[in-house]
Amino acid sequence: MDLHFGDSKPTDDERAAVDALLGPPESSWEGAARDEMRAADLRWARGGREARDRRDLLLPGLHAINDRIGWISEGALDYLCRRLTVPPSEAYGVATFYAMFSVKPRPATVLHVCTDLACAAAGASELCAGIESALGPGVHVERSPCLGLCERAPAALAIKAGDPVRTAVSAPATVHDAVLAASAPDSAPEEPPAALAVPQAGDPSLVLLRRVGVVDPSSLDDYRAHGGYTALRRAFELGPAGVIREVTDSGLVGRGGAAFPTGRKWQATASQPDHPHYLVCNADESEPGTFKDRVIMEGDPYALIEAMTIAAYATGAHKGHLYLRGEYPRALARLEHAIAQARARGLLGDDVLGQGYAFDIEIRRGAGAYICGEETALFNSIEGYRGEPRSKPPFPVEKGLFGKPTVENNVETLVNVLPILTMGAPAYAAIGTERSTGPKLFCVSGSVARPGIYELPFGATLGELLELAGVRNGLRAVLLGGAAGGFVRPDELGIPLTFEGTREAGTTLGSGVVMAFDDTVPLPRLLLRIAEFFRDESCGQCVPCRVGTVRQEEALHRIAERTGAAAADDIALLREVGRAMRDASICGLGQTAWNAVESAIDRLGAYE
């Protein structure tokens, strides 16, 4: 294999960052310093299988360099490739795939300022301009897609490279606070508790959010005192088949938007003869307007660990990967602590709860790629490849992560398993409606008085949810499902918030995003931002999406200030391009990139 290593050398810091992850190199082939005694070992290399087994450390290696230095130089990339026996051209393709990495020199401090929908409506453009004029050359300001802090818009995230890397969040951000976060992250004000994102916190009727704001998220004892690990003990009593039966009878479907029956997915994975089986928790919620999984991970991290253990036990998996958004530093810290505590107390490891069942969890950080929310793109990312979706079939339950049977669920789906086992499938199924059972989390942001995460049973109406959140006067439109969803009018607030109810209304529930916009928000600018988002986030693998998202943005730029007959030709072009993306794109990104624009034209008369 011709790897095409270059002549660039890593700095001592870059070498140390990689060695801290991988350990010291074993030979000159891996980049150790050469001398006369070791020159001969250039003839030696790891075997093909052993080299392939290390490929999945590429993404953590890129994070290690980026965290320590702030960017990834040619010498650092070359050294990492030698250590992992990865072709540099492939590693370069991976490094340039993610928005949080840079292969060009930049300052050690990067300030990510969200310019997506909720933050744009809250004045992100003015915030960016003020920050750039106030900051010196030592900070790189990055206009960022959604940071998952929509309830506190506008938002900014500062990352200062070093050993250790330091982060600071400013939300709701002012110029002064954002500059402070970037220049002195250790002195920035501490983030408010996760419970402030839950206006219903403390309500005894809550099911999924009942512990947020009630328990100490750092305390395993507090979690257990409030019912923690009751569900796992119940799972061991039922056995794997019994757990799957309970989940199936509950009617639980995926909460990420696809709404696939969870019990069927688990059963299909458990029945596969090929081993090992894997469990993947998709915590890479990158849909603009979505932040429910972040709140759960920050406010109730042990619930996710317990739920992952149950899912793995039911499906015959002994290894779980938790793929976490790179923009969630506090969730990362909370989960790392919780996993360590669970491992130390026998709740993870070789003998979980003394039941003879082995299971452990590894966190893998994403690096800013919306497409990695698609399950097969996520698998590629974990394996050390570009996060591009795979063609199906085969489906993940047959060949998923590392080509083995894999069950993949998002955070909200998994934590629903806990009440299913503690209250029983019939009681859980009695919540909500016949076809949409259980409670649902909704991310409400935009023109409301009390933005945050709301828990309601399926079947509540959109109007009831917005009344809880305190919708403001002058409501112009509501976006359901985020950028991949659709707009509805103010006179359509009677839509029931169920999968079937939103479908019948010609829209989508998606992952539970509800963004309200009043008449002060310019709708054409909002649609243009959605188009820019999909153009940026398209992985470029398939032509319909790669070209279609660009053509959609170009058309919206042309008609931004036009209406009526002047916009007719471009609207016709938008429809044609939208149909092509929906019909021919490989994955859901291209298939949904036209949804919001189409609904704004047809339901809101955006360009009339």
Side-chain angles (χ1 to χ4, degrees), residues 146 239 308 475 483 488 546 561:
C146 185
M308 287 183 68
L475 182 65
V488 298
R546 182 176 71 239
E561 304 299 330

Side-chain angles (χ1 to χ4, degrees), residues 41-58:
D41 69 7
L42 274 174
R43 299 171 180 268
W44 172 91
R46 290 179 180 272
R49 179 177 296 277
E50 188 176 359
R52 286 193 297 273
D53 287 346
R54 290 160 59 88
R55 174 69 185 248
D56 70 297
L57 294 175
L58 179 58

Side-chain angles (χ1 to χ4, degrees), residues 318-453:
H318 297 283
K319 180 67 177 290
H321 289 81
L322 199 168
Y323 191 90
L324 178 67
R325 276 200 81 181
E327 295 91 341
Y328 284 177
R330 183 163 70 170
L332 174 64
R334 293 272 168 87
L335 287 165
E336 286 179 334
H337 173 79
I339 288 171
Q341 290 297 305
R343 197 178 286 138
R345 301 277 285 275
L347 299 168
L348 289 174
D350 294 334
D351 188 15
V352 176
L353 277 178
Q355 297 292 318
Y357 168 66
F359 177 67
D360 212 337
I361 297 171
E362 180 178 349
I363 298 176
R364 287 297 174 93
R365 291 161 60 198
Y370 171 74
I371 190 63
C372 288
E374 197 277 337
E375 57 185 359
T376 62
L378 187 155
F379 300 156
N380 277 339
S381 181
I382 291 176
E383 291 177 20
Y385 297 92
R386 288 168 63 88
E388 295 173 342
R390 304 172 184 173
S391 297
K392 304 175 191 175
F395 293 96
V397 297
E398 301 168 312
K399 291 188 180 296
L401 186 64
F402 303 117
K404 297 296 183 179
T406 303
V407 62
E408 180 267 355
N409 292 117
N410 74 351
V411 174
E412 184 188 355
T413 306
L414 286 167
V415 297
N416 268 274
V417 174
L418 305 182
I420 289 172
L421 294 186
T422 54
M423 69 172 58
Y428 179 92
I431 302 171
T433 67
E434 183 178 354
R435 289 191 286 171
S436 295
T437 63
K440 178 75 183 81
L441 301 181
F442 297 95
C443 310
V444 185
S445 61
S447 303
V448 294
R450 293 176 294 279
I453 302 296

Side-chain angles (χ1 to χ4, degrees), residues 448-479:
V448 294
R450 293 176 294 279
I453 302 296
Y454 288 84
E455 179 184 312
L456 291 175
F458 274 116
T461 67
L462 177 58
E464 291 169 343
L465 174 61
L466 290 176
E467 185 177 354
L468 283 176
V471 66
R472 297 173 188 161
N473 293 329
L475 182 65
R476 172 73 171 90
V478 179
L479 180 61

Side-chain angles (χ1 to χ4, degrees), residues 270 272-277 315-316 404-405:
Q272 294 296 319
D274 192 15
H275 286 275
H277 294 180
T315 57
K404 297 296 183 179

Side-chain angles (χ1 to χ4, degrees), residues 117 120-123 125-126 447 474 476-477 487 516-530 560-561 600 604 606-607:
L117 305 180
S125 296
E126 294 79 5
S447 303
R476 172 73 171 90
F487 287 96
F517 299 100
D518 60 27
D519 49 18
T520 65
V521 179
L523 192 56
R525 178 57 214 162
L526 205 63
L527 299 180
L528 190 54
R529 177 64 194 119
I530 291 172
E561 304 299 330
L604 304 180
Y607 298 105

